[in-house]
Amino acid sequence: MKPCNHFDQERAEFVLEDMYPTRPWLNYLWNDEVVASADQFGNGFAWTQSGTKRRDLESGTRNVYVFDADSKELYSATRNHGDLPFDSFQATIGLGYHRIISSYKGLEIAFTILVPTSGKRILYRIEARNVSKKRKDVTLFFVNEPRPALSWHDAYGEAHPNGKSIVYSHVGFRVSSDLGYLALSSSDIPSGFETSYNRLFGVYGSPESPRGGLGKGVLSCQGDEFEGHYVGAFSFALSLAPGEKKDIRLGLAAAESEDDAIKASSSALSEEAFQKEWDAVTSKERSSHARYQVHSVDEVLNAQVNTWLKRQISLGKNWGRLYGKGFRDVLQDITSFASLDPETAKKQLTHALAYQYEDGNPIRMFEPNFHYPYQDGASWIPMAVLSVVSETGDASFLEEEIPYLKGVSKDSYSLVDAYAEEPYESRVSGTVLDHVLRGMEYLTTSLGEHGLVLWGGGDWNDSINAAGLEGKGESVWLSLATLKALKETITLLGIAHDEENAARMQEKAKTLEGNILHHGLVDGHFIYGINDEGTVLGGLERIFLNPQSFAVLSGIGDQETRERAMDEIEERCSCAYGYMQCAPSMEQGDPHIGRASYFQKGLVENGSVYLHGVAFKMVADALLKRPEALYADYRKIRFDNPANPQNGMEPYAFSNMMMGPESKYRKGEAPMSWITGTAGWVYRALTEYLLGVRPTFEGLRVDPCLPKDFGRASVTRLFRGRTYAIAYIPSKEKEGTYVNEKRVDVLPLGKKGDRIEVTVYYPCV
Amino acid sequence: MKPCNHFDQERAEFVLEDMYPTRPWLNYLWNDEVVASADQFGNGFAWTQSGTKRRDLESGTRNVYVFDADSKELYSATRNHGDLPFDSFQATIGLGYHRIISSYKGLEIAFTILVPTSGKRILYRIEARNVSKKRKDVTLFFVNEPRPALSWHDAYGEAHPNGKSIVYSHVGFRVSSDLGYLALSSSDIPSGFETSYNRLFGVYGSPESPRGGLGKGVLSCQGDEFEGHYVGAFSFALSLAPGEKKDIRLGLAAAESEDDAIKASSSALSEEAFQKEWDAVTSKERSSHARYQVHSVDEVLNAQVNTWLKRQISLGKNWGRLYGKGFRDVLQDITSFASLDPETAKKQLTHALAYQYEDGNPIRMFEPNFHYPYQDGASWIPMAVLSVVSETGDASFLEEEIPYLKGVSKDSYSLVDAYAEEPYESRVSGTVLDHVLRGMEYLTTSLGEHGLVLWGGGDWNDSINAAGLEGKGESVWLSLATLKALKETITLLGIAHDEENAARMQEKAKTLEGNILHHGLVDGHFIYGINDEGTVLGGLERIFLNPQSFAVLSGIGDQETRERAMDEIEERCSCAYGYMQCAPSMEQGDPHIGRASYFQKGLVENGSVYLHGVAFKMVADALLKRPEALYADYRKIRFDNPANPQNGMEPYAFSNMMMGPESKYRKGEAPMSWITGTAGWVYRALTEYLLGVRPTFEGLRVDPCLPKDFGRASVTRLFRGRTYAIAYIPSKEKEGTYVNEKRVDVLPLGKKGDRIEVTVYYPCV
């Protein structure tokens, strides 16, 4: 039977039966303190982080080798180097865990990696089962690659007297972490251990062709020092009767002392304790997932909405983009997970707004913050605040006091730790609404000679990073984003009953809209902007995707203007797997545009199908009531688009981009998986626009934008303590949202705990 | 026959027949613009550098694969993954080249890597010879790993229309190098090429187990982009009659344009041009090597002195310690190669002294210079100046004007590019002698309360980097080094007939000597110093090696004091493979000592056999007329010390250290090869002290310190245009140096071009 990868919706897992996808497929496992990656074979990195300080835990192979005493064969049960004829071999991508199961010559091995819900810890479990008819005598080897060194050649790896642990210690001069100790511990007394990569695999060997101790099947049981490359390896001698199973559990942890590291790594090694951690991980994820469940004929959409987009958003929620947390990324993430976890959204928003300067402009990044004059930060604030208020219905949040960063945002441009900028206490503060307003004030007073918002060092498109450095260039996209933000601000001011400011913002919006329509439209579409030199980016020669989608998102001009802009996109940016970020790609590096123009054609911001941009367009299509286009957008950027079979993307996580049709050598490939704002916007496009279940301050609205042939579907949405059960019925006659057979605009709130049945009819002709 | 590694003195090569030493053995190849490393299989890195800017050329595997059309076998002729039964397999470590020769199933492959004498280029040659009795049809694959990217995903690798080249281009935004283009070119039209690592070896393959195109024996002939990992791979289809040979040449080069890169990489691909480069490389090295040739019964000593120590010194001369050039390292290197290449020594010294501040203290490092208050820089200046003047006999060098760095050395402590510090023109300047004197002034006025030289951020022992940061700690070692430098300065002042300054320096020396003897001696040996806290480092509890050797080198006190200090070393620091840098090792990190105390016991400055320190001791032993000790020191730290069989060191290059006897797990191992000041000092200890051929301003002196059983030996020394042929004869009666049967003190100068026969009798009882 051909291997068949599939979503297991019941268990919220993705099962990989083809272990050799075009490129390695990643799983991420994390809690607040640890993040780990695992490719399908379990290889990957792990680190802990506090503030800007990162402490590596492991990186490289995680492997279970088997030495069969009868056949004298040594093989990897989890990597299967050399393609041995395994009877079965598969990986399970789980939420917070990763498992590889293989079966070879009568021995089944299941290897599980689990990041528990808390602690600087990673857990592993090896389950070995004799599925043959005779006794099997084997040695199991667990191998990973802890990274104890915090500075140059200062680490030890050595056995702990408990007989079940290896301790890696690092006590260096002026090292940058307090977590000087790692420990790797086992539930069972191992028959041997190894700390040195070279001794384990051999100086001239490798994980693929082990020489050294592993190659001979015997570990040295020695510590090591001055080692660039440590391993954590244990051997276990097993003798299994037919049908017998052996279960070994291990833990890796970082701590400030040897004792604490031993304790943390050993804390969940009993069967019961491990099971408890397991249950905690699986139940934790699922509680937020229950807040929105869809069932439709599109099984991939069901799996992505119900499980995987949430999971990807959740990685952003905890770990940003891994290399750091951009202000704009955090704000967009908050917007998208406000419906899943409103309390955390509120907390993170409160935290983020404290990194807005008194002039209204926020920092660029938290970890690290580099002082480069990006300009778009404030434009994302109203949307995030509105999301939180809409989900909770709690207007008092607008009155919460949050401090500002002292000074103005343009003081200095350098790489700094934002957390260290200013003692929290000494800051001036303002309400959440004041933060929103100061943001708008900043944007609407940072205007150039055409009355458009200054480009500065860049906006969402942070690769157009040299178009406005001289303080003259103006961004039409940012002006549109500001217009959108002003309208969201007006909505917030309505909730707050602040008519005076609302009128003021209306005025600002009107002026800005006029300026954009006057200077930003060329040949029926919106340009990206006018740089310091006065050169127009966009126009006859080139069209950019995002200004058109944001024209719609901001509701600028009349319907015809917006329709026309989007039609231009369909005509000029479309390809078989989405829409190019700009078309055609730029041919030549331009120091007055910046990095984007130096990228190769079809790559990243220079003409790739940048998925974040396509997700913006999905919402724009919905606002224009173009359901076929919206759904087609989604199908085009999906892993299973038959027109782009070589995309290589994980079915359970969107990538940052697909290389564009003008890419010279790698059209359609989708590198850079998981860490992208795409997930949040696709999630909102599907849940709030395609299926149309949109939270507002007044309550939940349902305004779907479903293609005619989408068929029946249902959504269960938890909202302010109520459960809404929404049935979608395609209809040739009826349209609209009904509760108890009464057409409604906003769904009735009822009482806490109520289950409210909703029927939505949508046109199928 | 057992594989037998050996020096080939005739060809100035080291031949490795055992291809699997304890750890990989490195060769370095370089010119002024390029440096490359190669392990025995040819794998390694290469880069070009100008100022602090580095531009990678390649890193990773260099490999020749063979696909045999008959047997369908693919194998690596240069790496032999999987240990195939090769008929022969050996590597040749040459001066400026590296060669691997193998023979398998009737095909002999010789693969040569050559760094030509100039240019940002590396050359390769593959010689394939059918040594079987029948025709052989094979495909050869050349593979290396060029590193074109200068910033994130901005490189292309693609075929050039000439059909024989791959061009890697990088044109990025604000990238840090002008060398945007690499080209790999071949002498022959290849049958195929590849640019992508993943396509060549397969996403799930490796150089060891190629899948992908190489695994199938067919290359894709495609360019690539957005690739973290490029390769340069060509295939060549050969059909060789019995005895037939095919010779293919390749070149890799970096340049500012595609055309220039193609030109540079193709510049030496004809047989004649390649041969010319070859001849230039081999003859260039040998000319400086001829300046000192020894023949003795110790063949290893002969090889090391005649060829390999010079080669190692030469790496330092061009490339410092690779990661950067320390001021003290450069000055010591100059001292050691002044006798080999006085013109370059003079040039480098002139250059280095321009990085001395007006207060007399020089920078810490050139590339990069980090402003950390190291104090010992000036103490190495007189020795280097004296070396140049003694070699050339040209006192006018002392009067050359050299600028100073503006300001004082303690202005700021940060990482900077010294070259950018100050425009050359605006500096004040002084004569070479003035530079020497200002250095002495700096040291002898930077005194603490005991009248010893302030420790600051460290001295030679740059890991004791926190003992004097508060400006109180005093270093006895640095005081001794200063005393030594003062005496060398007095010699220089004698040459310059500057009696006034000489008297002043005499006075300073006398005072300093008194202070050292008064405060620096504890229990018969010299302490390392007294830190900011007033704590003595060294003393009853611990002895440091270098203060004792420098007591002798500085000639402090009476003979008995110096003998006693050295006896303490013999008693307390000695081990089977040398002398510990301190004994016992420090047990506990101390923030008032610094990094050294945080190193694990037996490692680096904390109790390793730091070979640079042993080399100092070799000279001290000579000065105490302890020939047996001197020669034993050398034999102990040599690769072939039978008491330390696991040292793993290259026979042709000294390592930085051997892990000390208190190392917990790796006693005796010698990591960090090549880049150490050890080479220069061992070279001088052997040539100027053991064999005693010492240049002075007055002329060459011969004052050997040979062990009784050293036997007959001879030295040929080129000096100021003369050739001295020195014969060493052990004698029970006669002692001293004879020319024309007349005992002499300084060898007669004769005329330019003269050959002067010298006979040296040394005691053999």
Side-chain angles (χ1 to χ4, degrees), chain B residues 148-423:
Chain B
L150 291 163
S151 72
W152 193 52
H153 56 64
D154 282 330
Y156 273 120
E158 25 193 18
H160 188 265
N162 70 14
K164 300 202 273 191
S165 302
I166 301 172
V167 178
Y168 306 85
S169 63
H170 179 108
V171 182
F173 183 54
R174 295 180 185 154
V175 295
S176 65
S177 171
D178 301 325
L179 300 168
Y181 293 82
L182 300 187
L184 177 69
S185 296
S186 161
S187 58
D188 292 60
I189 302 269
S191 60
F193 76 93
E194 183 54 274
T195 54
S196 155
Y197 185 95
N198 279 341
R199 276 201 310 257
L200 184 75
F201 294 122
V203 173
Y204 301 102
S206 67
E208 188 175 344
S209 307
R211 297 176 176 220
L214 182 58
K216 298 186 188 79
V218 182
L219 304 187
S220 80
C221 298
Q222 276 190 60
D224 207 358
E225 63 192 326
F226 199 79
E227 174 65 73
H229 206 157
Y230 284 91
V231 291
F234 285 127
S235 60
F236 304 94
L238 308 187
S239 182
L240 297 173
E244 191 181 350
K245 188 190 150 195
K246 172 73 187 168
D247 182 334
I248 297 163
R249 294 155 304 278
L250 302 107
L252 176 75
E256 289 182 33
S257 71
E258 179 170 313
D259 282 355
D260 287 349
I262 291 285
K263 206 178 290 174
S265 63
S266 309
S267 57
L269 300 186
S270 72
E271 266 188 65
E272 303 68 39
F274 190 95
Q275 189 60 42
K276 215 173 135 188
E277 298 288 359
W278 175 268
D279 292 342
V281 166
T282 44
S283 66
K284 186 188 177 199
E285 275 298 323
R286 295 191 186 188
S287 73
S288 83
H289 290 196
R291 292 184 63 92
Y292 198 115
Q293 290 285 314
V294 57
H295 295 277
S296 76
V297 293
D298 186 340
E299 289 286 346
V300 171
L301 180 143
N302 299 347
Q304 292 193 335
V305 166
N306 295 343
T307 307
W308 298 101
L309 283 164
K310 288 169 184 150
R311 181 69 179 163
Q312 191 172 356
I313 291 166
S314 172
L315 178 63
K317 178 168 80 172
N318 274 82
W319 289 94
R321 300 298 170 264
L322 290 179
Y323 53 82
K325 290 180 183 164
F327 186 88
R328 82 169 68 101
D329 301 323
V330 168
L331 272 274
Q332 288 178 80
D333 289 349
I334 289 167
T335 307
S336 65
F337 74 78
S339 66
L340 301 168
D341 184 354
E343 278 317 302
T344 304
K346 207 150 95 175
K347 220 172 84 187
Q348 283 208 7
L349 187 50
T350 307
H351 176 261
L353 291 180
Y355 293 90
Q356 194 179 3
Y357 287 94
E358 292 174 39
D359 67 4
N361 196 23
I363 61 167
R364 163 69 180 103
M365 289 193 85
F366 293 89
E367 300 155 346
N369 178 33
F370 58 99
H371 281 194
Y372 195 85
Y374 283 105
Q375 288 280 75
D376 61 317
S379 73
W380 306 99
I381 296 173
M383 174 181 88
V385 173
L386 190 53
S387 261
V388 168
V389 171
S390 300
E391 186 65 26
T392 59
D394 174 13
S396 72
F397 178 60
L398 297 175
E399 287 155 37
E400 268 187 36
E401 285 281 324
I402 298 174
Y404 288 98
L405 276 184
K406 210 158 184 174
V408 295
S409 61
K410 284 170 184 158
D411 264 359
S412 65
Y413 300 124
S414 58
L415 199 71
V416 296
D417 180 356
Y419 294 124
E421 281 197 14
E422 192 69 37

Side-chain angles (χ1 to χ4, degrees), chain A residues 152-156 224-230, chain B residues 600 603-604 657 659 666 671-672:
Chain A
W152 193 52
H153 57 60
D154 282 330
Y156 273 121
D224 207 357
E225 64 191 325
F226 200 79
E227 174 66 74
H229 206 158
Y230 284 91
Chain B
Q600 291 138 28
L603 298 194
V604 210
M657 67 153 169
M659 304 195 213
R666 303 177 65 176
M672 308 164 75

Side-chain angles (χ1 to χ4, degrees), chain B residues 64 99-102 107-112 124-130 140 238 240 245-249 274:
Chain B
V64 177
R99 183 181 297 131
I100 297 123
I101 303 179
S102 69
L107 187 70
E108 187 188 274
I109 299 286
F111 175 55
T112 305
Y124 315 92
R125 179 166 57 186
I126 306 169
E127 295 158 276
R129 189 194 303 270
N130 182 351
L140 285 191
L238 308 187
L240 297 173
K245 188 190 150 195
K246 172 73 187 168
D247 182 334
I248 297 163
R249 294 155 304 278
F274 190 95

